[in-house]
Amino acid sequence: MTRQVAAIEVVTHPQVTQSSLTKSQLRRIYTMRQLRWSDNHAITVFVLPSQHELHQRFAKERLQIFPYQLNRIWHKLTYSGLGVAPTIVKSEQELIQAVTNTPGAIGYIGEATLVLLRQSNNDSRSQEPLHMDEESKVSSQGVVNVVKIKD
């Protein structure tokens, strides 16, 4: 029996205007070679711990690089003083929170987590009216933007 593997979704802060990235752009962002969005806002990268199954799948499937190679790149940047490594968060929930609260942020979550996020966002919207500042925080997809990855 084969187990169906859920998709990995790339998410950004609601104010990030880019709705799609090429695989090459995504790889440059996660190897810390692209530090700004097209509108010149700084990119803040969030990742799960390297031993997390979703991180390993993200590195292999989306970035087409082994997780240990990614770690090596980040360590080299950090120890040489030429750059900084991404911010590591403990869980997908923490990653969503960090991306939501950090302008210019990017991260990744599993498809199931995105579905739950959308459901909880829709439930909270239907239960109580949003105030103007809350409304501006919520994009058409919810509290984060989902970015399409093109070849």
Side-chain angles (χ1 to χ4, degrees):
M1 269 205 287
T2 59
R3 181 173 66 114
Q4 181 148 8
V5 179
I8 299 169
E9 301 291 346
V10 175
V11 295
T12 61
H13 185 273
Q15 291 176 344
V16 172
T17 56
Q18 284 185 255
S19 60
S20 66
L21 293 168
T22 64
K23 286 180 183 179
S24 174
Q25 285 173 307
L26 185 66
R27 190 172 177 163
R28 280 198 313 270
I29 289 169
Y30 274 89
T31 55
M32 311 310 279
R33 288 183 294 168
Q34 181 176 332
L35 304 175
R36 299 204 163 269
W37 293 108
S38 58
D39 63 2
N40 209 30
H41 282 89
I43 299 174
T44 305
V45 180
F46 290 98
V47 296
L48 294 168
S50 45
Q51 65 274 17
H52 196 286
E53 186 251 341
L54 187 63
H55 174 76
Q56 293 180 4
R57 283 188 46 225
F58 174 76
K60 290 177 194 170
E61 294 171 21
R62 292 291 191 166
L63 303 178
Q64 295 167 341
I65 188 171
F66 286 108
Y68 76 87
Q69 292 172 307
L70 204 51
N71 282 337
R72 197 175 288 164
I73 291 167
W74 297 338
H75 285 106
K76 190 175 181 178
L77 280 172
T78 304
Y79 295 123
S80 68
L82 297 174
V84 293
T87 304
I88 300 170
V89 293
K90 293 178 185 161
S91 67
E92 289 179 75
Q93 288 70 29
E94 273 188 44
L95 192 139
I96 291 165
Q97 201 66 30
V99 168
T100 303
N101 294 329
T102 310
I106 188 169
Y108 53 87
I109 57 175
E111 186 178 38
T113 304
L114 180 63
V115 169
L116 290 172
L117 180 64
R118 285 182 174 159
Q119 285 174 348
S120 68
N121 193 40
N122 288 339
D123 290 348
S124 67
R125 269 197 238 172
S126 62
Q127 289 171 4
E128 56 188 61
L130 289 177
H131 303 291
M132 274 312 264
D133 56 333
E134 288 176 308
E135 226 170 76
S136 64
K137 275 176 44 183
V138 178
S139 73
S140 59
Q141 276 95 8
V143 293
V144 292
N145 291 330
V146 178
V147 178
K148 289 182 176 58
I149 306 302
K150 303 180 290 186
D151 287 331

